[in-house]
Amino acid sequence: MASNKGVVSRRDFLRVGGFGLAGLAGALGLRGLAQDNGAPTSTPHAAHEATAGGVTGDYTPASQPVMDHGGMGTVGQVDHAANEFDPHEILTDFDYGELTEEGGRAVRTWRLVAIDREFEIAPGVHFPGWVYGSQTSAASRRLGRLVGQCPGPTLRCVEGERLRVEFVNASSHPHTIHFHGIHSAVMDGIPGVGPGMIQPGGRFTYEFNARPFGCHLYHCHAVPLKRHIHKGLYGAFIIDPDPATHSGEEAAAARTRNHTYDESQAVNEMVMVLNGFDTNFDGENEVYAANTVAFAYGMERPIPIRRDQPQRLYLINVTEFDPINSIHLHANFFDYYDHGTTLRPTLTTVDTIMQCQAQRGILEFTFEGFEPGLYMFHAHQTELAELGWMGFFDVK
Ligand code: CU
Ligand code: CU
């Protein structure tokens, strides 16, 4: 059964530990063990014997080769081509939908589909998910057909526009789309309130105005909610501020946040949706990530950063089962805009923030004047970092 392919228990992961480098590598070895022997095997030394050069042979089952990877990350590669989406593409992909005008008003339309599909979240670990896809995402445009992705496409618009989301449920389960934002109850995507439980084969068009500006999210709100969110039905939803409604410094800040203004082009903008995956359905996550794939921005594929460019990170936590998630930036500090609904930071000069589920915000920072090199970022709950939520900026 496909869904068993990547079954690894949380304890298997924790047993191997080792900051970032051994968690999944060990887990893959242990997966072999668990399958061979039918029971988890104790590996008490693993956590201590993992080295920066890879892992020792101590806990590697005889049937598994010792895989020296020379650094932090995972052993082996996720097949991004088979997944059809790539965390590096998702990082900078903003789905603007289709912009038209009706009676003098800007109308932005997205066509979103929910589908069932399996994807690889760590080398050899496949997850049977439910996901959203959009005709106007980078992945769909690249492949010339609709691609379901996790997280869903980052929907981006401008404050004041009329938004139209034409939703088709092509999954085998009922789903909804619930947007965070201000709208009427009938557009809330909640069963029993307003179009919730769109049945398989069904469709509904959600329509509302873009407000307030900020860094938001959308997700399925079908019941059981836990299961529907955790399966992968969520994405970022960004409303750019309209500079015309602000003045002075705030108007200037709004111009850098609004993708239709030249001032925004100077900023390197990124999106990370923090998520976790319960691969054995025990109500706990075995894999954590920013944008789905564990260690996606690890040493082998760090995020390239130009040090002369201001950086902006839209960070959204959708992690199910854990009460909080966090981000810590190494060797640097940032300003933070909680929910992105202000044009002045709500926290200044911090290097760590935490987010409960659905909490989100914007980080602004720069590496100007820094020595080139790899600068780490990760959840500061060590366990989450070890299980995949860790990466690097490659500052050049
Ligand atoms: Cu759902
Ligand atoms: Cu929500």
Side-chain angles (χ1 to χ4, degrees), residues 19-21 72-73 288-290 294-299 376-379 384-386 388-392:
F19 191 73
L21 57 101
M72 294 183 179
Y288 293 90
F295 304 111
Y297 312 112
M299 271 188 176
M376 198 185 224
F377 55 87
H378 59 86
L384 274 62
E386 286 176 345
W389 169 198
M390 186 279 283
F392 292 92

Side-chain angles (χ1 to χ4, degrees), residues 25 32 121 137-138 140 147 168-169 176 196 235 264 267 300 334 346 379:
I121 55 174
S137 70
S140 295
V147 173
V168 174
N169 185 2
T176 79
S264 73
V267 184
E300 298 198 338
F334 56 86
T346 51

Side-chain angles (χ1 to χ4, degrees), residues 193-204:
V193 175
M197 294 311 229
I198 310 302
Q199 296 301 318
R203 55 180 66 219
F204 182 76

